[in-house]
Amino acid sequence: GDALTIKGERKAKTGDGSYHRRERDHGVFNRSITLPEPIDSSKVVASYKLGVLEVMLPRAEESRPRKVAIEA
């Protein structure tokens, strides 16, 4: 559709830790983001590295701007 939904679960940690800010300590979470443009879902790529989730959502070909040649 026109939304990206991310679901996950954070396990409870034991031990001493100092945190500046934490949204949730532990438990299940999900986030939904409405996408402004149609995407090509067959080319979606995601990676998770060093605690950062990166999701690449390429625009669908029909939503990309196209060039039109003007003959003089």
Side-chain angles (χ1 to χ4, degrees):
D2 62 348
L4 170 67
T5 301
I6 299 173
K7 297 178 183 181
E9 180 179 0
R10 182 177 295 176
K11 306 283 185 185
K13 285 188 174 182
T14 58
D16 296 335
S18 173
Y19 299 99
H20 177 67
R21 179 180 180 272
R22 290 180 75 178
E23 185 176 344
R24 297 274 188 265
D25 187 33
H26 63 277
V28 177
F29 65 91
N30 66 41
R31 302 287 179 273
S32 290
I33 302 165
T34 302
L35 302 173
E37 300 284 337
I39 63 159
D40 185 351
S41 61
S42 65
K43 295 182 182 176
V44 172
V45 178
S47 64
Y48 183 76
K49 187 175 182 181
L50 299 174
V52 176
L53 175 64
E54 182 177 8
V55 182
M56 304 295 287
L57 304 165
R59 289 166 113 185
E61 197 63 41
E62 62 269 7
S63 71
R64 292 186 183 187
R66 59 182 189 169
K67 294 181 181 180
V68 177
I70 300 174
E71 295 181 25

